[in-house]
Amino acid sequence: MKGSQLAALVVAAAGPLLAPPPAPCATNVAVFNFQMTSDTPEWKWLEKGLADRIITDFHIERSLDVIKRDAMQDLAAKMEWVPEMMADTGRMGMVRNTLRIKYVASGVFQVTGEKISITGTAVQVKTGEERGRCTVSGKAAEALELTRRLSADMVALFTGKTSQEVLKALPVWTKSIPAARALYEGMDLYDQGRYGEAWVKFRQASREDPDYLEATYWVGKMYYFMDRYEHARRAFEQFVYLDSAHPRVGDAVMEFLHTYEKLDTPQEALLALYKDFNRRFPEVPGFLWDGGRVPWWSGAWFGQKTGLLLEQMGRYREAVLLSAGPGRPDLPGDYNCDLALRRHNALTGETFAPKELPRLGWGSTLFKVVHFKPGETEAVSRIIWQTLGGAVKEYPYTVEHYGIIAPSGSVFTTMRLHPKIAVERGTVEVDLAKDVNASSHGTGDVAQRTVSIAEAKTQGIPFGNLPRGGLFEVMVKVTPDAPVKDEKLLLDGLRVRATFDRPRRFGAIDVSCSNTEHFRVDVDGRPGRRGPGLIGLLPAGPRTLRFYPDGPSALHGEATARVLVKTGETIRFVGTLPWRQDTPWSSWTDGVLVGSCYDGHDLALARRFQGVPAVQMDNEAIRLVWSRGGDLWSSMSTDGQTFSTPARLPLPVSTAWLEGEPRLLRDESGRFMVVFKSDRNPQHVYRPFACWSRDFVHWSAPAEVADEVGMPIRHLIQDGRGRFVIAYSKAEGNGGEVRTLVSRDGFRWEPLGRVDVTSPGECINGLAIHVRHDDTYELFCATRPKDRWREVFEKPPEPVGPLRRFTSTDGVTWSKEEKLGTLKGRSIYLSPMQRDGRTILCVCVAPQARMRSRLFLIREMPDGSWQRSPWYSGVTHDLDAMAWHPKWGFVLASMASWKGWENQANEWGPYLIRSTDIDPLFAGATKAEGEPE
């Protein structure tokens, strides 16, 4: 269907409004499968059928908040559920902790001849007290109507309504027992992941009763899970337009729209879809964001999707007004708006008055604004004070953020800040930033100043030679010599004096650097920006760009380039910083930016688990797999320098849901295998999946590795016996046990071993498994103290913990720990490798606050001891993956960090550098022991 035709269809379509969402204080209940007590296997389908019918009917009652069927079924399968468990306090405790509910309902039924009797029971999970019991009986041929009556009776138990009142409001889903039987037999196959067989059953149900919308939905869902999006779309379209009040409409709408997002639908058609669905489904609960972790209302979900799409279309003004204008929905965050606001200003020079954006800063840092009107050179803002409810008795400091806005069409040339401070002694720290949230992370990308309170009050805090722009963000931190009881004594407003210029003919440059994110760019001697992103409002004509390192301890030198700026156009330019010759890294390549331009939409609402790139090398090529925008991408190089254009791993690997944290290897038969995390399962929670390819182009359908929710994958390996092995932590961040899984074919996995790697009070911070040349397993584990509650003004310390090594000959029994030193950092990635029969470990610590990513190497010496290199800061970007191969040498690959930069997560990258020699990195090396730097 053409985009224009689709848009016309969507806008013209009409349908009934949705039923009201659940009440804020709705009763939480889960309905579990019933149990058949008679020897009548032809009625086995009703065990799950009763539970599903009651769940669906419960959804219609606004005062009940019922757990979705898939979440219930997942837990029921793990527990091997039977209704007798409602009397088991231990089992009910598991149900309560997992589903966070107050009541459980389930029951039994029996069929005798042509008669059927069904009993449903509801109990309070915490106490085991019975809320009520309902029984219906009659002819077996009337089982579906009896089920409807039972639903009415059980709803009445929780609502105080009469059964007859409830029964009048309940729909008749189908009167055909053959249709219902086929549907629930298909649902049982779906629960087992047998989607093709389930599809056959759902099709059978639809043929038995063509008006059975439940069957229509499940036919579409099976097409969806089999990645046949065109077919899924037709079924979903019929479902959502014929019954917009159905309890499953939220899932159907999300899946329906995903089929358009992943098949390169024209952007205007997608906008029309979002607009129409937002109008028709304004208050549907349960729309998922962040990989199923966070439920949203539909209005916020559609708003964020629309904002992302408008931004990618370059329609920044519309995106800003959508997020921050008077009619804006209550979105959980304004990161889209902040990006669009700055890009719009960089490309057009236009700014917005506060009255145009009354909701700017709902949850963002731009929540106190200093706005200059035309002709003004001085403007003032006062703080909107908020109290902490008496929790803070004294204030050792205060921190406030302001947005500083120039008149529309003007750019700042200088500004002087005058904070209003009542105390006399202490210091004032100011971070001036131009990028989104840069000052929030204490990384003012324009300038940072620290002056005494006396100087700030008498002279102000000056900033000159500013980057061209009409929007700045400033963080002001005031620290008195002694704590005060009234926070307003520390900072009660900000006055700004400024001078301006009005650009006429201008264009923009979108800059990046091929080998580091930690760089700055000046344009004709005037600061341009820090890190990758837009430099706007530049006068048309030839411009000189000066790329130089960001920070005094940088490892890179400087580079210059000439770029022709054209009026109204944006030029994309990638620079390169050379290594300084006096650094240990000078033998490494300058770097390759593998991915700087991607095709298609990036409408993923989650940026949480993309992970580091996976690197695989052999005599043929260097291959990379990484996550961006919720999909997996790949690239390869046969010369080590020129990489193929990034290609999205096709269906059925990259789906409408999220894929991330890939691990890649090539097995002894030449087959490529990728293990990754995805929320494609029915519950839309993160779980590991595996797929394979013979040519690195066509991939198998992924199979679920394990049903561990959120299981962090740590290094996929193949041991000397040809088995695939994965190591993972049972509860990363809270536990200390490492488990291993093993598989012969990469699809059927079973437990191999486990080892406790922490001391009391510790949790796992980083983990890697490795196989040595002699087939010995090596397990490296970084741990840190568990997080604890901190007082309001207590600065969170960077955690310090040990790096431990364990070995095993079989993966089952492990050695005692060998301590290789201590590490400082909250998120650590470990990359083990073998060279000449000895192990080398790359340890990378993710950036935190003002600190960059850091790494060091540990290598095994001939005498069995371990040597540790110094720390190196700012070598690449975020967390890095390192690998070695005799032909290609050492390869270090990373993705761009999003913190502080204008770009969305992973818009740039992967980055890759290589070297054949790491000996210079060990200059000044020490034994692998002692405290971190």
Side-chain angles (χ1 to χ4, degrees):
M1 184 181 294
K2 299 292 185 183
S4 59
Q5 295 173 325
L6 169 65
L9 170 65
V10 169
V11 173
L17 293 177
L18 283 172
C25 298
T27 302
N28 301 102
V29 60
V31 182
F32 275 71
N33 298 331
F34 280 55
Q35 183 180 26
M36 181 176 65
T37 59
S38 56
D39 185 17
T40 48
E42 68 274 16
W43 286 92
K44 182 73 173 177
W45 60 271
L46 195 56
E47 291 187 333
K48 291 186 176 181
L50 281 164
D52 181 70
R53 273 283 54 84
I54 295 172
I55 289 171
T56 307
D57 291 339
F58 271 29
H59 270 294
I60 296 173
E61 174 54 49
R62 187 170 183 248
S63 63
L64 296 178
D65 185 9
V66 64
I67 298 299
K68 287 188 175 183
R69 178 201 176 274
D70 284 337
M72 174 279 294
Q73 191 59 49
D74 184 55
L75 181 58
K78 291 179 180 178
M79 296 176 64
E80 299 182 350
W81 171 265
V82 289
E84 289 89 342
M85 292 180 181
M86 289 192 290
D88 186 327
T89 55
R91 297 283 189 165
M92 287 296 96
M94 180 180 179
V95 170
R96 183 182 178 212
N97 293 335
T98 304
L99 300 180
R100 307 295 181 186
I101 56 171
K102 187 174 182 179
Y103 294 98
V104 165
S106 186
V108 297
F109 71 94
Q110 63 177 356
V111 181
T112 305
E114 296 182 357
K115 299 289 185 179
I116 186 171
S117 177
I118 312 171
T119 298
T121 305
V123 301
Q124 189 174 11
V125 177
K126 185 176 182 180
T127 64
E129 180 182 351
E130 188 173 296
R131 175 71 182 242
R133 185 183 296 258
C134 309
T135 299
V136 295
S137 59
K139 296 179 179 179
E142 298 173 354
L144 298 181
E145 179 58 26
L146 292 172
T147 300
R148 186 166 166 267
R149 284 172 45 194
L150 182 66
S151 285
D153 291 344
M154 298 198 73
V155 169
L157 285 178
F158 292 99
T159 62
K161 297 179 182 179
T162 67
S163 297
Q164 288 303 315
E165 287 179 292
V166 177
L167 191 62
K168 291 178 181 178
L170 293 183
V172 177
W173 302 106
T174 184
K175 294 182 179 180
S176 169
I177 287 182
R181 176 176 178 173
L183 183 90
Y184 291 114
E185 287 176 346
M187 207 173 284
D188 186 56
L189 293 167
Y190 159 78
D191 292 335
Q192 301 172 51
R194 296 158 64 181
Y195 302 137
E197 297 169 76
W199 170 82
V200 172
K201 285 291 185 180
F202 295 140
R203 290 275 291 176
Q204 179 184 341
S206 187
R207 285 193 299 270
E208 293 285 353
D209 183 357
D211 295 326
Y212 195 8
L213 282 181
E214 285 280 286
T216 302
Y217 168 77
W218 283 100
V219 167
K221 195 175 185 75
M222 292 309 95
Y223 277 130
Y224 181 76
F225 273 93
M226 292 188 293
D227 305 310
R228 297 171 66 181
Y229 286 170
E230 294 282 2
H231 294 80
R233 181 184 300 168
R234 288 193 286 270
F236 285 145
E237 186 173 44
Q238 181 183 3
F239 179 78
V240 299
Y241 282 112
L242 291 180
D243 191 356
S244 60
H246 195 285
R248 287 194 171 98
V249 74
D251 285 345
V253 169
M254 287 183 65
E255 291 157 354
F256 177 71
L257 292 175
H258 279 160
T259 66
Y260 286 97
E261 293 170 356
K262 291 299 181 181
L263 294 179
D264 296 325
T265 302
Q267 294 172 327
E268 291 291 347
L270 271 181
L271 281 179
L273 273 169
Y274 293 148
K275 181 178 179 180
D276 182 69
F277 274 70
N278 193 25
R279 176 184 62 81
R280 297 186 62 249
F281 308 106
E283 293 184 323
V284 182
F287 273 62
L288 300 179
W289 169 76
D290 195 16
R293 299 162 69 98
V294 182
W296 276 11
W297 291 91
S298 54
W301 192 87
F302 288 125
Q304 284 284 14
K305 288 279 188 176
T306 303
L308 274 175
L309 184 56
L310 287 170
E311 181 187 326
Q312 290 172 35
M313 296 170 69
R315 293 162 61 173
Y316 300 120
R317 193 178 201 282
E318 295 175 64
V320 171
L321 293 175
L322 172 75
S323 290
R328 187 205 94 165
D330 289 339
L331 306 184
D334 284 343
Y335 197 59
N336 290 350
C337 173
D338 289 346
L339 285 169
L341 191 68
R342 284 162 171 78
R343 291 184 177 182
H344 181 67
N345 177 251
L347 295 175
T348 68
E350 183 183 4
T351 59
F352 296 85
K355 65 180 181 181
E356 296 179 89
L357 304 177
R359 305 190 67 128
L360 178 64
W362 187 276
S364 78
T365 59
L366 297 184
F367 143 62
K368 293 162 279 289
V369 176
V370 180
H371 178 244
F372 287 84
K373 298 177 181 178
E376 288 185 340
T377 59
E378 183 173 314
V380 179
S381 176
R382 292 183 63 83
I383 298 173
I384 301 174
W385 288 101
Q386 295 179 332
T387 65
L388 294 178
V392 179
K393 296 181 180 179
E394 289 188 329
Y395 295 85
Y397 64 84
T398 189
V399 178
E400 296 295 345
H401 298 264
Y402 300 85
I404 305 178
I405 304 176
S408 193
S410 297
V411 297
F412 288 98
T413 54
T414 66
M415 66 175 67
R416 187 177 293 266
L417 310 183
H418 299 268
K420 185 179 178 181
I421 304 171
V423 298
E424 299 297 331
R425 299 176 65 85
T427 59
V428 181
E429 299 174 54
V430 176
D431 281 4
L432 185 65
K434 201 167 176 294
D435 281 328
V436 177
N437 290 338
S439 70
S440 301
H441 296 286
T443 55
D445 62 338
V446 175
Q448 296 175 322
R449 301 274 193 277
T450 300
V451 300
S452 66
I453 288 178
E455 182 179 343
K457 293 174 69 171
T458 57
Q459 302 177 35
I461 306 167
F463 294 91
N465 196 28
L466 298 173
R468 299 180 70 85
L471 292 172
F472 285 84
E473 181 179 334
V474 64
M475 182 197 77
V476 181
K477 179 179 180 180
V478 180
T479 305
D481 284 354
V484 299
K485 295 184 177 181
D486 186 353
E487 191 178 11
K488 287 188 285 186
L489 296 176
L490 298 181
L491 187 58
D492 194 20
L494 181 67
R495 178 167 53 92
V496 181
R497 292 179 178 175
T499 59
F500 304 94
D501 184 22
R502 290 188 66 85
R504 295 291 184 261
R505 297 171 55 249
F506 53 82
I509 306 175
D510 199 350
V511 299
S512 185
C513 186
S514 66
N515 58 340
T516 180
E517 188 182 64
H518 305 292
F519 70 96
R520 290 181 181 264
V521 181
D522 288 352
V523 182
D524 295 336
R526 184 171 182 172
R529 67 171 298 109
R530 177 189 184 198
L534 276 178
I535 306 174
L537 302 173
L538 297 174
R543 300 289 154 217
T544 299
L545 304 185
R546 172 179 167 248
F547 286 77
Y548 57 100
D550 178 31
S553 59
L555 302 170
H556 300 92
E558 297 185 5
T560 60
R562 293 282 285 177
V563 177
L564 180 62
V565 176
K566 299 180 180 180
T567 303
E569 296 185 16
T570 299
I571 306 298
R572 199 162 201 180
F573 186 83
V574 180
T576 299
L577 292 185
W579 294 106
R580 278 182 12 203
Q581 292 304 307
D582 58 347
T583 73
W585 294 86
S586 60
S587 64
W588 289 69
T589 60
D590 286 337
V592 179
L593 175 56
V594 177
S596 61
C597 185
Y598 293 85
D599 295 328
H601 314 303
D602 180 3
L603 300 173
L605 297 182
R607 306 285 178 184
R608 184 177 292 273
F609 71 110
Q610 59 268 6
V612 301
V615 183
Q616 183 274 326
M617 297 186 289
D618 52 40
N619 287 326
E620 299 173 6
I622 301 174
R623 298 176 182 87
L624 301 174
V625 173
W626 68 95
S627 176
R628 178 188 181 273
D631 288 332
L632 296 183
W633 297 75
S634 68
S635 180
M636 63 180 291
S637 172
T638 56
D639 61 7
Q641 186 64 28
T642 304
F643 280 78
S644 60
T645 302
R648 182 189 282 113
L649 268 64
L651 291 170
V653 180
S654 293
T655 66
W657 295 94
L658 301 176
E659 289 81 35
E661 293 188 10
R663 302 291 180 263
L664 170 68
L665 65 73
R666 192 173 192 180
D667 67 17
E668 57 191 10
S669 71
R671 183 180 64 166
F672 299 101
M673 175 162 289
V674 170
V675 174
F676 60 94
K677 283 172 65 174
S678 176
D679 63 340
R680 66 179 62 208
N681 56 80
Q683 296 77 36
H684 303 310
V685 293
Y686 299 149
R687 285 180 177 167
F689 290 81
C691 62
W692 61 269
S693 171
R694 288 290 181 187
D695 58 7
F696 205 61
V697 176
H698 304 91
W699 294 85
S700 69
E704 189 172 288
V705 171
D707 63 357
E708 295 279 359
V709 175
M711 176 179 130
I713 307 166
R714 292 294 179 258
H715 288 272
L716 168 68
I717 62 172
Q718 188 174 32
D719 64 15
R721 305 174 194 175
R723 303 180 302 175
F724 300 105
V725 180
I726 292 174
Y728 70 98
S729 50
K730 172 65 176 174
E732 191 168 37
N734 292 302
E737 185 180 73
V738 172
R739 299 184 180 186
T740 51
L741 298 176
V742 65
S743 172
R744 289 287 183 184
D745 57 9
F747 291 95
R748 292 180 292 272
W749 296 80
E750 58 186 27
L752 176 62
R754 61 180 64 186
V755 56
D756 192 348
V757 299
T758 64
S759 298
E762 292 182 341
C763 61
I764 296 172
N765 201 20
L767 177 67
I769 193 170
H770 180 58
V771 177
R772 295 175 59 90
H773 67 286
D774 60 358
D775 293 336
T776 299
Y777 295 99
E778 276 184 311
L779 184 69
F780 296 93
C781 186
T783 62
R784 61 174 173 83
K786 293 182 179 179
D787 289 330
R788 62 180 178 84
W789 172 259
R790 295 188 296 270
E791 298 296 331
V792 174
F793 288 106
E794 184 181 352
K795 183 178 179 181
E798 193 172 19
V800 176
L803 174 64
R804 297 179 172 99
R805 173 179 178 261
F806 303 82
T807 60
S808 173
T809 57
D810 58 7
V812 178
T813 304
W814 291 85
S815 68
K816 294 183 178 180
E817 69 175 59
E818 177 184 2
K819 189 175 179 181
L820 300 182
T822 53
L823 302 176
K824 180 185 291 186
R826 185 164 297 278
S827 182
I828 295 172
Y829 190 80
L830 306 175
S831 298
M833 64 209 87
Q834 282 270 301
R835 183 186 184 187
D836 300 330
R838 293 193 292 272
T839 299
I840 301 170
L841 181 69
C842 178
V843 181
C844 183
V845 181
Q848 180 181 359
R850 296 172 185 248
M851 302 182 68
R852 301 174 181 177
S853 61
R854 296 164 289 150
L855 65 81
F856 68 89
L857 302 179
I858 297 179
R859 63 181 176 184
E860 184 182 11
M861 303 303 290
D863 62 359
S865 64
W866 294 84
Q867 186 184 39
R868 177 173 131 178
S869 77
W871 283 99
Y872 295 101
S873 175
V875 176
T876 51
H877 308 277
D878 204 325
L879 291 175
D880 307 286
M882 193 173 188
W884 179 81
H885 187 269
K887 178 176 179 178
W888 306 108
F890 294 92
V891 169
L892 195 62
S894 66
M895 300 299 295
S897 167
W898 65 270
K899 291 184 178 179
W901 302 141
E902 174 185 317
N903 300 77
Q904 292 186 21
N906 291 354
E907 184 169 340
W908 298 91
Y911 298 79
L912 183 141
I913 57 176
R914 296 190 301 117
S915 178
T916 58
D917 186 15
I918 61 170
D919 286 342
L921 302 183
F922 283 87
T926 60
K927 288 187 176 180
E929 60 187 14
E931 296 301 314
E933 298 176 13

